[in-house]
Amino acid sequence: MVVCGDDGLAHRLAAELRGVYREQVTLVVPPAGRRVRQPVVGRARAASAALLDMVNAAVNRTGNGDPGGADRELDATEPTEDVLADAGVERATALALVYDDDETNIRAALTARRLNPRLRLVLRLYNRRLGQHIEELLDQSATLATGDGAGTGAGAGAGSTTVLSDADTAAPALAATALVGTSKVVETDGLLLRAVERNPPRPGEVADPGLCTLALLSATSNDPAGADGSEDSGEQGPQLLPDAAAVEAATGRGTVALEQVSYSGPPLAAGRAGVPAFGELFSRRLRWSLAGLAACVVALAVALMLVTDDHPLHATYVTLLDLFSINEPAHNKDTGRQILQLLSGFVGLLLLPVLLAAVLEALGTFRSASALRKPPRGLGGHVVLLGLGKIGTRVLTRLREMDIPVVCVEADPEARGMATARRLRVPVVLGDVTQEGVLEAAKIHRAHSLLALTSVDTTNLEAVLYARSVRSRLRVVLRLYDDDFATAVYRTLRAAHPGALTRSRSVTHLAAPSFAGAMMGRQILGAIPVERRVLLFAAVEVAGHPQLEGKTVGEAFRAGAWRVLALEVSDGGRAEGGAPERARESRLVWELPDTYVLRGSDRVVLAATRRGLAELLGRRARRGADV
């Protein structure tokens, strides 16, 4: 495996491949002077370092000087053709290009495809539309070069291309934290799967398992100094994919249950498309003025009808003529008619400035529709989002899709997500979040939750600490880089505010498993964080896996490793072995009976731990104890 990158995702991905999948990895990173600070990844990093020492020792004992057979690290500013050749791309199984620049990744991918048509490519691209075209282009190139159809289809083996985005991978988990009662969400084939944290059941209550119980939370989850915020599990950490006996035996521990819900959030209002609604077009005072003048016109028309016994429509017409001073003077009319004409003329004089004010307000509203909005005065129960970079922009889009009110805070007026905020008409506060008054302008004292997603750990921490001083029970989510730092921050915040919800998330920690799974040639549907650990959802062909093929769903389940959740069937089809029939619009059969026998032609969706997925789908089982 070859990993090329210039930020923390490259280091974490290499540690994932080494420590979890036990693959030999060549890491290509910029020279030491231009290298970013490597992340502390806890046990994964320790296991990776120990594995690297074992491999190097074995190479030294055997006298094999081939550098391509052991883990190594190359320093290179850019992934040129010579650098890729030196990294052993011609002999590699997979190549991950996770530079922060899309153009660099595309250029290197085209070069690598020419050097090795059967190479499995994984690209990190932020532009999703461009990524689809690049994926089709590289797959077609592999097919023409090999002539055996390699690279066709998602999740294919040798020669396949997978385009991923760390922002898209992490955004659902970050955005879902702002939902009431929901902290984790993953999408699969158009369905929305929601992982809900549930408190321990009270005596006499029966917990609802939903589709299944994904995890038992830490035994110290109610302890402010517990390990809920760290990635290391330990004896008191979360228990992933427990069996029925473990769920029944667990007392006093919360659970994470999987629920299947169809997205039913209301669509964005028409006003958000760029045309302001009537209530936003005119101010409240102007609307009351217009309503008062309209009532005066109706009253004058009724009075004229009573005085002259005229038809209602003709009386209204004459009143409007008098209102706009285009009717003949009532010289020879009776006194009542003359008085009504004078009153109509007076109302017409009042109407002129009101109409002028309406025109000016409408022009101003349309002019400011493309500008940044300010938070409304009565706003409350909203989400305050700090940072409109790559991650913040994706999270903002997710929140608006779920129709959650958002106020953004951004220091750079030219940030990537400013155009998205204007298009969605989301209020934005321009200013440094560390300065006094910025969070107050975002109505933090009435907010529901705070998402601190800037790229600077100290900025996120400072904003959270200040927000907690304003509102102690505010729900906060921090984007933190280091796991050790995240653990220390988490424990301190829980000890200081035990009644508030605190979560720390790392984008690279959420994205690395998906990139590693794609390098193994599998289709990773998503990831759900459980405290600081991760559960993966993957679509797997049953054929070729003895742990699944020919076994029932109950026999294929391995506690703490993997669990079959759904079966993919054709539209309107019926699964054999007693599986229920699904509607024609869905291709996934959920709630499979334990008696259903998995066949080689089946394709299933399963939940797995990182190590469980490595054992089931990786090459570790076939390689045995080679290292």
Side-chain angles (χ1 to χ4, degrees):
M1 301 289 178
V2 180
V3 177
C4 302
D6 57 355
D7 60 5
L9 181 58
H11 297 281
R12 196 179 291 271
L13 177 56
E16 186 86 12
L17 293 171
R18 291 167 177 166
V20 177
Y21 292 92
R22 296 185 180 178
E23 294 291 335
Q24 295 176 352
V25 181
T26 297
L27 178 62
V28 180
V29 292
R34 300 181 57 183
R35 191 175 306 174
V36 298
R37 176 172 54 93
Q38 298 187 21
V40 180
V41 294
R43 294 186 175 183
R45 183 180 182 184
S48 175
L51 180 61
L52 180 60
D53 294 340
M54 294 171 59
V55 173
N56 291 335
V59 172
N60 293 334
R61 287 196 303 269
T62 57
N64 184 7
D66 182 13
D71 294 339
R72 59 187 181 131
E73 184 172 313
L74 300 179
D75 291 339
T77 304
E78 294 183 358
T80 61
E81 182 174 352
D82 294 337
V83 171
L84 294 176
D86 189 22
V89 168
E90 297 91 340
R91 304 181 304 275
T93 301
L95 167 66
L97 298 167
V98 293
Y99 290 94
D100 192 52
D101 180 52
D102 287 1
E103 183 180 351
T104 301
N105 294 328
I106 294 174
R107 188 188 308 114
L110 296 174
T111 303
R113 178 61 77 211
R114 187 179 69 254
L115 294 176
N116 186 354
R118 296 185 177 274
L119 182 68
R120 187 180 301 124
L121 286 174
V122 178
L123 279 73
R124 171 190 183 183
L125 294 182
Y126 181 80
N127 191 328
R128 289 177 286 187
R129 180 177 298 179
L130 176 61
Q132 294 176 357
H133 296 307
I134 292 297
E135 185 173 340
E136 295 174 359
L137 175 64
L138 293 175
D139 281 347
Q140 184 178 1
S141 175
T143 301
L144 294 177
T146 58
D148 56 2
T152 59
S160 66
T161 304
T162 304
V163 176
L164 297 175
S165 169
D166 56 336
D168 286 334
T169 304
L174 294 171
T177 313
L179 294 175
V180 178
T182 303
S183 57
K184 296 104 180 173
V185 170
V186 64
E187 292 178 320
T188 168
D189 287 1
L191 299 178
L192 194 64
L193 302 180
R194 179 175 60 182
V196 183
E197 292 186 6
R198 294 175 175 169
N199 295 325
R202 298 177 182 178
E205 293 183 350
V206 178
D208 181 13
L211 290 176
C212 67
T213 299
L214 292 177
L216 297 174
L217 297 177
S218 300
T220 56
S221 58
N222 295 325
D223 181 7
D228 190 23
S230 68
E231 182 182 2
D232 300 339
S233 60
E235 296 181 357
Q236 300 295 331
Q239 184 178 351
L240 303 183
L241 299 176
D243 54 16
V247 174
E248 294 178 359
T251 57
R253 298 180 65 173
T255 61
V256 177
L258 182 67
E259 295 180 352
Q260 176 192 353
V261 293
S262 298
Y263 179 72
S264 58
L268 293 177
R272 299 189 184 120
V275 180
F278 180 80
E280 300 177 0
L281 190 61
F282 304 113
S283 64
R284 183 178 180 182
R285 181 178 299 176
L286 184 59
R287 294 198 303 269
W288 277 109
S289 300
L290 291 174
L293 290 175
C296 290
V297 173
V298 173
L300 290 172
V302 172
L304 182 62
M305 181 184 64
L306 295 177
V307 171
T308 61
D309 293 331
D310 203 352
H311 190 274
L313 292 179
H314 188 266
T316 303
Y317 173 70
V318 172
T319 301
L320 291 177
L321 292 179
D322 293 336
L323 186 71
F324 294 111
S325 301
I326 57 178
N327 196 11
E328 294 182 358
H331 292 299
N332 301 322
K333 304 295 182 179
D334 55 6
T335 305
R337 174 70 182 89
Q338 293 174 350
I339 294 175
L340 290 177
Q341 189 177 55
L342 292 176
L343 292 176
S344 299
F346 180 72
V347 173
L349 293 177
L350 296 178
L351 180 62
L352 290 177
V354 174
L355 291 178
L356 179 61
V359 172
L360 295 178
E361 279 201 8
L363 290 177
T365 302
F366 276 105
R367 183 178 300 174
S368 61
S370 60
L372 294 176
R373 300 183 63 198
K374 296 182 179 180
R377 291 184 178 180
L379 182 64
H382 58 287
V383 176
V384 177
L385 174 62
L386 308 184
L388 285 176
K390 293 195 305 182
I391 306 300
T393 304
R394 290 286 193 255
V395 173
L396 173 61
T397 303
R398 292 276 182 169
L399 292 174
R400 296 310 297 131
E401 289 175 354
M402 293 182 285
D403 204 50
I404 297 177
V406 185
V407 174
C408 300
V409 179
E410 175 58 51
D412 183 10
E414 302 297 329
R416 186 191 297 263
M418 297 299 283
T420 302
R422 291 189 182 94
R423 177 174 56 85
L424 298 177
R425 304 198 68 210
V426 174
V428 178
V429 177
L430 286 176
D432 188 354
V433 71
T434 60
Q435 296 179 354
E436 186 177 358
V438 175
L439 284 178
E440 284 81 356
K443 314 293 184 184
I444 192 65
H445 57 284
R446 291 201 298 264
H448 173 267
S449 57
L450 170 67
L451 297 178
L453 304 181
T454 70
S455 57
V456 182
D457 286 2
T458 54
T459 300
N460 295 334
L461 178 59
E462 183 176 355
V464 168
L465 292 177
Y466 181 77
R468 278 284 170 82
S469 66
V470 176
R471 186 175 180 183
S472 61
R473 299 184 65 87
L474 181 69
R475 179 196 296 253
V476 298
V477 179
L478 292 84
R479 174 188 175 187
L480 296 180
Y481 188 75
D482 272 342
D483 287 336
D484 291 346
F485 182 55
T487 302
V489 169
Y490 177 85
R491 291 177 175 176
T492 305
L493 287 176
R494 285 206 62 171
H497 305 279
L501 179 62
T502 304
R503 289 291 180 266
S504 60
R505 296 286 181 258
S506 168
V507 174
T508 58
H509 176 73
L510 296 174
S514 296
F515 280 82
M519 293 188 71
M520 301 303 295
R522 312 300 173 183
Q523 185 178 1
I524 303 297
L525 301 177
I528 285 181
V530 179
E531 298 175 6
R532 293 289 292 185
R533 300 184 66 186
V534 173
L535 268 178
L536 300 178
F537 290 81
V540 179
E541 301 287 347
V542 174
H545 301 292
Q547 303 95 330
L548 303 177
E549 190 173 4
K551 297 182 180 295
T552 64
V553 173
E555 294 172 346
F557 170 54
R558 180 177 297 182
W562 62 77
R563 179 171 186 166
V564 176
L565 299 178
L567 173 69
E568 183 180 282
V569 296
S570 58
D571 292 343
R574 181 185 296 272
E576 298 180 2
E581 185 178 6
R582 292 289 293 176
R584 180 172 296 274
E585 64 270 10
S586 177
R587 300 186 61 196
L588 290 178
V589 178
W590 298 88
E591 299 182 357
L592 287 171
D594 291 340
T595 57
Y596 175 72
V597 180
L598 300 174
R599 300 173 300 170
S601 59
D602 290 338
R603 188 169 182 263
V604 296
V605 174
L606 53 83
T609 62
R610 292 184 297 176
R611 294 188 180 275
L613 188 65
E615 180 180 352
L616 179 65
L617 305 179
R619 295 183 292 175
R620 181 174 59 180
R622 297 192 295 270
R623 290 169 56 183
D626 292 342
V627 288

